[in-house]
Amino acid sequence: MSTEAAPTRAPAMAARAEQPLLRVRDLTMAFPGKRSATGRRGAPVRAVDGVSFDLEAGRTLGLVGESGCGKSTTGRMLVRLLEPTSGSVEFDGKDISRLSQRALRPLRRNLQMVFQDPHSSLNPRQTVARIISDPLLVQGSGAADARRRAAELMELVGLIPEHIDRYPHEFSGGQAQRIGIARSLATNPRLIVADEPVSALDVSVQAQIVNLMERLRAELGLAYVFIAHDLSVVKRVSDRVAVMYLGRIVEMGDKKSLYENPQHPYTRALLSAVPLPDPAAERRRERIVLLGDPPSPAAPPPGCTFHPRCPVAQEICRTERPLLRTVASREVACHMA
């Protein structure tokens, strides 16, 4: 597959080098509030609140943050598994955020997703052959061609093609995630949104899956939006990193500069929790412990939403919402940066 995909895709990538493959602007997702015992509906929950970023072809953007910060919701909106409340998602120069399902179907072959739990994302009643070939059948391929393609993809992701007629429960967690990756590759996509693809796996298996995804990116020219809460994994796979807190991006920039010199207090706290391989360096460094829990997205605090937990918050942080601005070669939403 790799020998066929690379030559056909390279000219297209070169022709589009002047514009991002993915352009996201002010993306917002507000879920309806829960109804009380009296029937009154509560305030809407702004799970994602004005997210904007660009992603070039063949590159990886890491999206990190605590659980509940809105990163998975963002990923699902990128591929239209969730309909955004407002904002836009442009893929290859075309706004796909308001397309009808009929108009979106031809574009879906270029947008695929890998889910967090490999077993729950696979239909237990279908064979691996049917799971992997299903996207091809939806796009109009014949059954024989789709099955042949499924066998090729199994080999590409490190599985034995002879196991094509087995069911998902016959595979380990790492093997099941390889099946999910093979399914996402079936239509030869240009962008894959990977939502916590290794968090449910053992550490040794995590390394195998990360190495596989890196190899596939190099061979096939893929672009990734890699969603995770493990900053060490994100550092391994990403070119740029966006840090989310309570539905907003608070810092975004080149991986090297962000990890070496974080500007936002939240980013510094997250990085201080990443274990270091050197025990002496681990003992010397200062661990930043954030007090309290993240506020509810249904009732975010005024000003900077991070100020109730921020160790350097000032009066302006409690009253004025910081916007993303360029600081030290990256974008930071912090008055104190």
Side-chain angles (χ1 to χ4, degrees), residues 73-84:
T73 302
T74 300
R76 289 172 180 266
M77 285 192 289
L78 298 180
V79 296
R80 286 285 301 276
L81 292 181
L82 287 174
E83 300 295 333

Side-chain angles (χ1 to χ4, degrees), residues 118-162:
H119 279 293
S120 66
S121 67
L122 305 176
N123 191 332
R125 297 184 179 183
Q126 291 184 350
T127 63
V128 173
R130 181 57 189 268
I131 289 172
I132 297 177
S133 63
D134 212 30
L136 292 169
L137 298 175
V138 170
Q139 294 289 340
S141 296
D145 290 339
R147 181 180 174 86
R148 184 164 51 250
R149 172 73 165 152
E152 294 174 356
L153 290 170
M154 286 190 69
E155 187 172 10
L156 180 67
V157 300
L159 296 173
I160 301 175
E162 287 74 18

Side-chain angles (χ1 to χ4, degrees), residues 266-290:
Y266 179 61
T267 308
R268 291 198 290 268
L270 290 180
L271 289 175
S272 77
V274 178
L276 297 177
D278 183 355
E282 177 70 22
R283 287 192 297 269
R284 287 195 304 269
R285 74 168 176 175
E286 179 186 0
R287 174 72 187 275
I288 301 174
V289 179
L290 297 178

Side-chain angles (χ1 to χ4, degrees), residues 10-71:
M13 289 175 59
R16 300 182 179 93
E18 69 278 358
Q19 67 177 16
L21 177 66
L22 184 69
R23 185 189 296 270
V24 179
R25 290 294 178 270
D26 298 321
L27 199 62
T28 300
M29 183 73 219
F31 293 102
K34 293 183 178 180
R35 290 191 181 276
S36 65
T38 60
R40 176 175 295 181
R41 189 176 292 278
V45 178
R46 296 179 71 88
V48 178
D49 189 6
V51 166
S52 300
F53 61 83
D54 292 341
L55 177 63
E56 293 76 24
R59 308 282 284 178
T60 297
L61 174 71
L63 202 57
V64 302
E66 293 172 293
S67 297
C69 71
K71 54 189 186 294

